[in-house]
Amino acid sequence: MGVGVDSVKEYVQRHRLWHERELADWIAVPSVSATGEGMERATPYARELLERSGLSARIVDTGGWPLVVGHAVGPAGSPHVVIYGHYDVQPAGPLEEWHSPPFEASVRDGRMYGRGTGDNKGQHLAQLLALRALRDTQGGLPCSVTVLLDGEEEIGSPHLTGTLTAMREELAADLAVWSDGPVHDSYEPTVSLGVRGVVAFEITVRGANNALHSGNWGNVAPNPAWELTWLLSTMRASDGRVTIDGYDAGVTPLSDAEIDAVRALPIDPAAMLAAAGLDRMDAGRTPVVNERLAMPTFSINSLTCMDNDEHRTVIPSVAVARCDMRLACGQRAETVIDAVRAHVGKQLPHAELRFGATMEASRTLPDAPYADLVLRGVTEAHGKQALAVPALGGSLPIAALTDGLALPCYGVALANVDERNHAPNENFELHRFHQGIVTAASVLSSIGRR
């Protein structure tokens, strides 16, 4: 570890309690983009956080929830780094499943619990605290920095690409860094080179205008639940193949370097499954977990007949499936939407189809500019070689940067594998939060001394 990173590590150790207090205060500000809860307060709070970190900050109108932007100039001729994060969070979900209030930070067994701890307030706060640490220990930043805090990531960032395109001149940078999602399942330090895209949708099948007695109407009234399950069975085969014509148009195979990176990733499939309470893997054509996580998916997120969780001997009046498809590099959300719409229209024309959040897949190759410097920074911070993951399993609007601004993008994941993002009892291991500050500082330092 270099002298600069050593001093940052000492700084972080001295300020541990203050940094944890800042995270707890940020968690206490709800920012649920899907419902609007707390957003009017959260946006200026995010700007204040950027200003506290030495950035000139402003709020940018997007036509939806605002983007918060901060900028600081580094040494002449130094690289310009864009740091992306998001300040909106998921809804709390079932309150009875939380062990403490979701918007009241609670520390238990070395973890801070609360909505947004890992996704994404804790991770982008670690990036901001790294800027403060560098200023206080090194006398300034090693490179110019522009921070983008998105207010709409959890609803698909519908306005981000257009907003960033209008800011193209200001964002004429050299690369982008983002911290979101967990480290690799092996818990080793991780750099992600891409993300999968996503298309979310809901299928509704309606029958009679009310539930009907299954004895009086069985074999006579159509059953929306049977129609829906039949439709779903035409969309994915028992061996895991998605059977929607054209959904995978454009998928780009992994390069040789990406395949090498995937095969170098440590994984214990049995332990991974057991930790989640599973005794089997999903159907699929390859047994290699890390390859599966770079491939397209089709998931049923929930099934319901709107029956209030009651078992009544009826033919339901409605059946609903909420689904998502994760997109591999080369797939386009518009093409996937057209393929799903055509399939449902052909197989069950009276089914209603409604599309929700979409994001494009993003890809940065292992030999892209600054890849080696980002990996070096993460490696130096941890004292062990960082893993290079071709694609994060989840989705983020990074295509707005890679495709919209032509920037190579690198994900420096900081959160624990079991952060429970999007679920009750979301959490961030505090030692990882503090290590994340050191890691973010080390990456910027590595880029600055290219």
Side-chain angles (χ1 to χ4, degrees), residues 59-109:
I59 295 171
V60 177
D61 179 42
T62 67
W65 297 119
L67 177 73
V68 183
V69 180
H71 184 68
V73 177
S78 64
H80 180 186
V81 183
V82 172
I83 300 174
Y84 171 85
H86 64 92
Y87 68 96
D88 65 325
V89 301
Q90 282 280 310
L95 294 178
E96 67 275 11
E97 295 185 20
W98 283 86
H99 298 155
S100 52
F103 296 111
E104 182 179 310
S106 175
V107 176
R108 301 188 297 275
D109 299 322

Side-chain angles (χ1 to χ4, degrees), residues 59-229:
I59 295 171
V60 177
D61 179 42
T62 67
W65 297 119
L67 177 73
V68 183
V69 180
H71 184 68
V73 177
S78 64
H80 180 186
V81 183
V82 172
I83 300 174
Y84 171 85
H86 64 92
Y87 68 96
D88 65 325
V89 301
Q90 282 280 310
L95 294 178
E96 67 275 11
E97 295 185 20
W98 283 86
H99 298 155
S100 52
F103 296 111
E104 182 179 310
S106 175
V107 176
R108 301 188 297 275
D109 299 322
R111 300 175 184 234
M112 183 175 290
Y113 290 82
R115 177 59 84 221
T117 47
D119 186 17
N120 176 251
K121 290 179 176 177
Q123 299 207 54
H124 70 241
L125 180 59
Q127 290 279 359
L128 295 177
L129 294 175
L131 301 181
R132 298 188 210 176
L134 287 167
R135 286 185 182 277
D136 290 349
T137 63
Q138 312 300 314
L141 300 181
C143 43
S144 295
V145 169
T146 297
V147 174
L148 306 174
L149 294 186
D150 185 0
E152 298 187 313
E153 193 275 341
E154 298 293 4
I155 55 173
S157 298
H159 300 96
L160 184 64
T161 297
T163 302
L164 297 189
T165 298
M167 298 169 59
R168 180 182 294 275
E169 185 174 338
E170 177 183 350
L171 297 175
D174 296 285
L175 72 156
V177 173
W178 48 273
S179 292
D180 204 337
V183 296
H184 185 256
D185 287 320
S186 63
Y187 278 90
E188 295 299 318
T190 304
V191 175
S192 296
L193 301 175
V195 295
R196 289 194 289 193
V198 67
V199 170
F201 57 94
E202 181 177 282
I203 305 173
T204 301
V205 181
R206 302 185 189 278
N209 54 15
N210 57 270
L212 300 173
H213 189 284
S214 63
N216 297 339
W217 285 94
N219 293 334
V220 176
N223 188 317
W226 274 118
E227 291 182 320
L228 178 59
T229 53

Side-chain angles (χ1 to χ4, degrees), residues 199 244-251 325 327 330-342 355 360:
V199 170
I244 301 171
D245 287 343
Y247 92 101
D248 57 352
V251 170
M325 303 185 81
L327 315 185
Q331 283 180 289
R332 303 297 297 179
E334 183 178 359
T335 302
V336 172
I337 288 171
D338 288 344
V340 171
R341 185 176 282 123
F355 289 92
E360 303 291 355

Side-chain angles (χ1 to χ4, degrees), residues 142 207 305 316 321 413 429:
C305 290
E429 290 180 324

Side-chain angles (χ1 to χ4, degrees), residues 19-102:
H19 291 164
E20 290 175 18
R21 181 71 263 164
E22 283 211 70
L23 177 54
D25 289 345
W26 196 194
I27 298 307
V29 181
S31 51
V32 185
S33 53
T35 65
E37 180 185 1
M39 290 297 290
E40 289 187 2
R41 180 185 173 204
T43 301
Y45 195 100
R47 179 182 60 189
E48 180 184 335
L49 282 177
L50 268 59
E51 290 171 342
R52 280 190 231 159
S53 304
L55 303 170
S56 59
R58 73 187 197 277
I59 295 171
V60 177
D61 179 42
T62 67
W65 297 119
L67 177 73
V68 183
V69 180
H71 184 68
V73 177
S78 64
H80 180 186
V81 183
V82 172
I83 300 174
Y84 171 85
H86 64 92
Y87 68 96
D88 65 325
V89 301
Q90 282 280 310
L95 294 178
E96 67 275 11
E97 295 185 20
W98 283 86
H99 298 155
S100 52

